[in-house]
């Protein structure tokens, strides 16, 4: 209701987008959904490839960790650089090119003959994954404005679906076809998806020139820096993204170990926590757009943070294994729509170009996902994981209260 009015008002301001043919808007909606699916699909295939890469290169966990940091640095750098490129050239162009460059990334990693080359290909993966991430979120905001209705949650649902599809399929392909065969398969499948969507992305209503094409001063540092907002609001929104990404990443990185070590779960059941979490998260993201339009972004975000807080309290304090797994399931319900809401709000933040707003907020979120595993591992050695998960209940409660100060979620 409130969200529909907000997006509708943004659409009125968007001009040409609002007048686009309904069929064109529908095509654009499915094209950007395909981009989200393809991005998640590559990430899903990357997960089972990690131990294969470590075995092929004969590297230790610490060296593998350094390679993952290269991936993360590439993603962070490209989010900010990609935001500037998206603002200059439009999100549709950047999604097109970055998706094509992402498709062969895993094959390049598989073909790397040395540790140094692998580090460079990891950087490649991070750069184009991150740049595509920011651009496709910006394009989803453009489609939201054109439709006058929310789509961001379901777009993230397609990302989750891509990951849920890619991970098990990737494991099977690695066993059946080997490292190179798997990577070639990912290149072909991802290529088919992104090529099918290439001509259907919606052009942004306004592409803000850092300088005209004929202006030789177009890429001056001053003009680039002028795009960065000076108000605190967008950075508080980024903090909300940070505080939403970290709990989500903690379940991915630590839930299986938590069940195995602190609840003595059999290895066959250790993955159930993440399965329960990711399954409910994907489902709730597909339901999220309707909830946002009924309740509004501010109320949906607050309720989601409270539900996630309850889920982490159950997961951290529960004694029986089914109760703990149920807690992670509730976490999925709560966390599902927090990040999509923050991204959507960043894309329509007043006085900030959509790509810049999304780039800043996504960079905050990625930094949380990158730093959290190491910090949580250090703390867990001293306190145990149960206390960490219980602490997230308090953190998410605080995140919900922090969101009340953000006008961008209410407007």
């Amino acid at each position: 209701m409130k969200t529909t009015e907000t997006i509708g008002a943004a659409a009125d301001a968007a001009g040409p987008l609002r007048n686009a043919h309904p069929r064109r808007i529908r095509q654009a909606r499915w094209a950007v959904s395909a981009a989200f699916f393809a991005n998640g699909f590559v990430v899903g295939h990357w997960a089972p490839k990690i131990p294969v890469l470590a075995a092929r290169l004969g590297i230790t966990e610490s060296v593998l960790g350094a390679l993952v940091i290269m991936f993360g640095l590439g993603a962070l750098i490209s989010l900010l650089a990609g935001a500037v490129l998206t603002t200059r050239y439009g999100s549709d162009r950047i999604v097109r090119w970055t998706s094509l460059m992402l498709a062969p990334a895993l094959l390049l990693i598989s073909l790397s003959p040395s540790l140094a080359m692998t580090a460079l290909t990891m950087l490649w993966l991070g750069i184009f994954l991150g740049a595509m991430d920011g651009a496709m979120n910006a394009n989803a905001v453009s489609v939201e404005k054109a439709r006058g209705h929310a789509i961001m949650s379901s777009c993230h649902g397609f990302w989750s679906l891509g990951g849920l599809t890619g991970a098990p399929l990737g494991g099977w392909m690695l066993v059946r076809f080997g490292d190179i065969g798997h990577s070639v398969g990912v290149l072909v499948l991802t290529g088919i998806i992104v090529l099918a969507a290439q001509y259907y992305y919606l052009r942004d209503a306004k592409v803000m020139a850092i300088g005209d094409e004929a202006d030789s001063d177009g890429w001056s540092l001053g003009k680039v820096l002028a795009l960065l907002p000076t108000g605190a609001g967008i950075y508080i929104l980024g903090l909300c993204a940070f505080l939403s990404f970290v709990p989500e990443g903690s379940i991915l990185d630590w839930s299986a170990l938590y069940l195995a070590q602190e609840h003595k779960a059999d290895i066959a059941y250790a993955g159930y926590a993440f399965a329960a979490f990711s399954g409910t998260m994907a489902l709730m993201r597909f339901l999220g757009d309707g909830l946002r339009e009924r309740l509004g972004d501010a109320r949906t975000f607050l309720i989601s943070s409270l539900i996630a807080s309850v889920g982490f309290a159950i997961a951290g304090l529960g004694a029986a294994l089914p109760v703990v797994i149920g807690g992670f399931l509730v976490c999925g319900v709560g966390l599902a729509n927090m990040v999509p809401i923050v991204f959507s709000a960043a894309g329509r933040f007043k006085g900030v170009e959509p790509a810049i707003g999304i780039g800043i907020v996504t960079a905050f979120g990625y930094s949380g996902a990158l730093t959290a595993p190491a910090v949580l591992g250090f703390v867990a050695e001293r306190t145990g994981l149960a206390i960490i998960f219980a602490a997230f209940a308090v953190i998410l409660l605080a995140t919900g209260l922090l969101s009340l100060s953000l006008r961008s979620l209410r407007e």
Side-chain angles (χ1 to χ4, degrees):
M1 184 163 56
K2 181 69 172 174
T3 298
T4 304
E5 294 169 3
T6 300
I7 295 173
D12 292 337
L17 289 185
R18 190 62 167 169
N19 299 322
H21 192 281
R23 182 167 177 266
R24 177 74 186 88
I25 295 173
R26 285 196 301 272
Q27 291 172 336
R29 192 260 189 274
W30 290 112
V32 73
S33 298
F36 273 86
F37 181 90
N39 192 280
F41 189 69
V42 172
V43 173
H45 277 278
W46 165 239
K49 202 176 190 69
I50 295 174
V52 176
L53 173 67
R56 179 170 66 84
L57 295 176
I59 55 177
T60 63
E61 287 83 353
S62 60
V63 176
L64 181 61
L67 289 176
V68 173
I69 289 175
M70 289 292 289
F71 160 78
L73 287 175
L76 274 177
I77 293 167
S78 68
L79 278 168
L80 300 176
V84 175
L85 290 171
T86 297
T87 301
R88 180 178 174 88
Y89 296 112
S91 62
D92 56 321
R93 291 186 185 180
I94 304 304
V95 175
R96 285 190 187 103
W97 286 107
T98 54
S99 63
L100 291 174
M101 300 301 278
L102 177 64
L106 296 189
L107 180 58
L108 293 175
I109 291 173
S110 295
L111 294 174
S112 297
S114 66
L115 185 60
M117 285 298 296
T118 302
L120 290 176
T121 55
M122 289 286 289
L123 193 64
W124 176 292
L125 175 64
I127 286 172
F128 292 107
L129 194 74
M132 182 183 175
D133 192 317
M136 69 190 186
N137 275 285
N139 196 256
V141 170
S142 292
V143 177
E144 279 191 331
K145 292 175 180 178
R147 292 181 81 241
H149 296 282
I151 68 161
M152 187 65 81
S153 290
S154 59
C155 282
H156 282 255
F158 278 104
W159 190 93
S160 297
L161 185 61
L164 288 171
T165 304
L169 179 61
W172 177 81
M173 289 172 66
L174 280 164
V175 173
R176 181 70 178 81
F177 303 112
D179 187 14
I180 302 294
H182 164 252
S183 296
V184 171
V186 174
L187 168 60
V188 172
L189 294 172
T190 307
I192 291 171
I193 295 168
V194 300
L195 285 173
Q198 281 291 297
Y199 298 103
Y200 299 105
Y201 297 114
L202 194 65
R203 182 70 170 157
D204 297 336
K206 181 181 78 167
V207 177
M208 178 181 175
I210 301 172
D212 295 334
E213 294 295 333
D215 181 4
S216 60
D217 190 37
W219 287 99
S220 68
L221 180 61
K223 289 186 178 180
V224 172
L225 292 177
L227 293 174
L228 297 177
T230 55
I234 191 70
Y235 300 104
I236 295 175
L237 199 60
L239 180 59
C240 286
F242 179 92
L243 296 174
S244 301
F245 265 82
V246 171
E248 184 177 329
S250 73
I251 296 176
L252 170 63
D253 294 323
W254 298 108
S255 61
L257 188 67
Y258 173 54
L259 293 189
Q261 289 190 353
E262 299 188 25
H263 288 277
K264 310 304 179 187
D266 186 270
I267 192 65
Y269 300 105
Y272 279 23
F274 182 68
F277 167 75
S278 57
T280 53
M281 170 173 274
L283 175 63
M284 288 305 299
R285 281 180 166 172
F286 283 111
L287 298 175
D289 293 328
L291 292 173
R292 289 173 59 197
E293 294 196 353
R294 285 191 179 188
L295 303 175
D297 278 357
R299 192 178 299 174
T300 304
F301 189 92
L302 180 60
I303 293 172
S304 295
S305 65
L306 294 177
I307 292 173
S309 178
V310 170
F312 272 105
I314 295 171
L317 301 176
L321 185 62
V323 173
V324 173
I325 294 174
F328 285 116
L329 184 147
V330 175
C331 289
V333 174
L335 288 174
N337 290 296
M338 292 177 68
V339 169
I341 287 171
V342 169
F343 280 11
S344 187
R348 61 174 192 268
F349 201 95
K350 285 187 177 179
V352 179
E353 286 299 305
I356 298 297
I358 289 172
I360 290 170
V361 166
T362 309
F364 269 85
Y366 267 53
S367 65
L370 283 172
T371 58
V375 174
L376 293 179
F378 177 80
V379 175
E381 285 185 3
R382 290 152 180 78
T383 65
L385 287 165
I387 292 178
I388 289 176
F389 285 126
F392 278 129
V394 179
I395 291 171
L396 285 161
L397 181 61
T399 304
L401 296 175
L402 178 64
S403 73
L404 296 176
S405 67
L406 290 169
R407 198 185 340 176
S408 59
L409 291 180
R410 301 192 300 273
E411 291 179 340

